[in-house]
Every structure is written in structure tokens, then in C-alpha cells.
Amino acid sequence: MPVESNSKNMHILNNKTTPSPVPVLAIDGPGGAGKGTISRLAALKLGWHYLDSGALYRILAFAGTLHHIDLKDEISLSKLVPALNIRFGIGSDESVWLDDQEVSDQIRTERAGAAASIVAALPLVREALLQQQKAFRRAPGLVADGRDMGTVVFPDATVKVFLTASAQERAQRRYNQLIAKGIDGKLCDLLADIQARDERDSNRSVAPLRPAADAVLIDTSQMGINEVLITVLNLINLQTP
Ligand code: DC
């Protein structure tokens, strides 16, 4: 069936005009591959909204702990989801709020990441968070960062990117970040954490970490941030008017 686009970004189908879906740039990949940095910069450049889906899992694990809920208690955790009042800073403001408390630092620790990875393996939790993630899709566009953005949450994303880097390189980057913040860390411990998280995220039964069939794979091990950003922006510019 012929579909054309006019200047107002509308599809004309059988003489009826329907709005085009809001474009989504889905950026998936393992922790430490640079998804967060690239997604934020891409969203700023494009003037699009940004979804940090990992933060939702991190906040849920944090809130579960506050409520003394076991991190494997799937039913209690999924029931907690609708009660979560989460706010994100806009643009370059990277703050994250739960109710009236800024939780940016608490949810960014290695421990919080490991806890997030445990709750993220629970099918009811993933289901409970699905609609909330979809609701981030608002005009003029969305950059969605996670593990299953292109496979489950936005399977019709305009462009799907899968960013990877070797575990060694990701551990080294994390180590450099910690040192820059004046926080002590051991490279071998960070590498072990990254490998454990990769293993859990890739082998869970629901929405495991893997590239969508139509994702563009980018190995960032030997690439600078700017080079990755330009590659990603070129992909989206080719697909959007
Ligand atoms: O991207 P991140 O490190 O903030 O993610 C924290 C954990 O949440 C990660 O170990 C896997 C999980 N996660 C997920 O399962 N699905 C997503 N879309 C995002 C994160």
C-alpha cells in the first residue's frame, strides 16, 4: 500500500491523514558501554526527550529496600511500581527524584546497580514498568536508553543501536570515573561486578540483553565519545525528515 509523507510529517494513506508515530532512537547495550553518555548527548542535540530506563529499575530496588521488601519478592515489588513518584531533571540536569528526595547519588552506586539487575530479572516487575516507559514517547522524539528498548519496549523504534565494549574496557572506564570523583575502587572488583551483571542481564528468561535483529551494532572499545555520537546522529538523521 503506497504511503507518502508530506511536509507536516503526516502519512497519507488511502486519502486519510494519520499522524506519524513519534520517532524513537533506542540505544541498548551492557552497562558501561557508554549508553548513558551518548543517549543524553543525542537527546540534547536532537532536542528530544530522554528515558533512562535503568534508573527506573535502580529506583525500584532502592524503594523496595526502603520498604523492607526482599529484592526477589516479585509481587510486592510490582505492586510498589504505581505508587512510585519519580521525577527526572530535564536536559543537562541529571538529577533523579523519588517523592521529595533527590536519590541521584544513592541509585548510581555499584551496589544499587547490582540490586537493579536483580529486580530487573523479575517478569512482573518488567510488566509493571512497561507502560511507564512507553509514556515517555512524546513529540518531538525520544532517545531511550536501556537493555530492551529496541526488542520489547519500542520494537517499532526509528533507529536501534546496540552499543558494546569489552568488559575490560568498561571496567577501566568505570574505574576512571570513580577516581575522577575521588572514590576508591579496585579494577579487578569492578571487572568482576560487570561480568556478573552481564551474565544476569543476558541470561534472564524475560527481555534478556541482546541486540534487536534490526539493530546497528557499534563497538565503542576503540572509539571516542564524539565519534560514537556522530555515528548515532548520522543514523537518526538518515531516518527522520
Ligand atoms: O543501565 P543501568 O546500569 O542503569 O541498569 C541497571 C540495571 O537495570 C541493569 O543491570 C539491567 C537493568 N535494566 C534492564 O534490565 N532493562 C533496562 N531497560 C534497563 C536496565
Side-chain angles (χ1 to χ4, degrees), residues 154-186:
F154 303 109
D156 63 336
T158 321
V159 170
K160 300 178 188 179
V161 170
F162 194 85
L163 288 190
T164 58
S166 67
Q168 186 70 43
E169 174 64 25
R170 289 184 280 133
Q172 185 67 54
R173 287 179 189 169
R174 185 69 187 134
Y175 178 78
N176 296 346
Q177 276 174 355
L178 290 178
I179 296 298
K181 283 187 189 164
I183 303 171
D184 230 7
K186 273 204 194 132

Side-chain angles (χ1 to χ4, degrees), residues 52-151:
D52 175 0
S53 62
L56 299 177
Y57 291 96
R58 286 171 182 264
I59 291 173
L60 179 61
F62 176 78
T65 309
L66 286 184
H67 287 81
H68 307 289
I69 299 173
D70 187 282
L71 290 183
K72 294 234 163 96
D73 181 348
E74 185 171 8
I75 294 180
S76 304
L77 285 168
S78 57
K79 281 189 181 155
L80 193 56
V81 169
L84 294 178
N85 176 17
I86 300 170
R87 279 180 298 123
F88 289 97
I90 297 173
S92 54
D93 172 3
E94 297 184 15
S95 64
V96 183
W97 298 74
L98 175 62
D99 296 320
D100 290 334
Q101 188 189 357
E102 186 179 354
V103 294
S104 321
D105 289 342
Q106 287 99 317
I107 65 160
R108 293 283 163 223
T109 63
E110 297 307 310
R111 205 166 159 191
S117 165
I118 293 170
V119 305
L122 305 172
L124 287 181
V125 161
R126 301 200 75 86
E127 202 182 305
L129 283 171
L130 193 58
Q131 282 315 317
Q132 305 208 347
Q133 294 174 82
K134 286 182 184 287
F136 277 78
R137 187 175 194 167
R138 280 176 283 124
L142 174 69
V143 181
D145 153 4
R147 303 290 188 288
D148 61 343
M149 298 297 99
T151 49

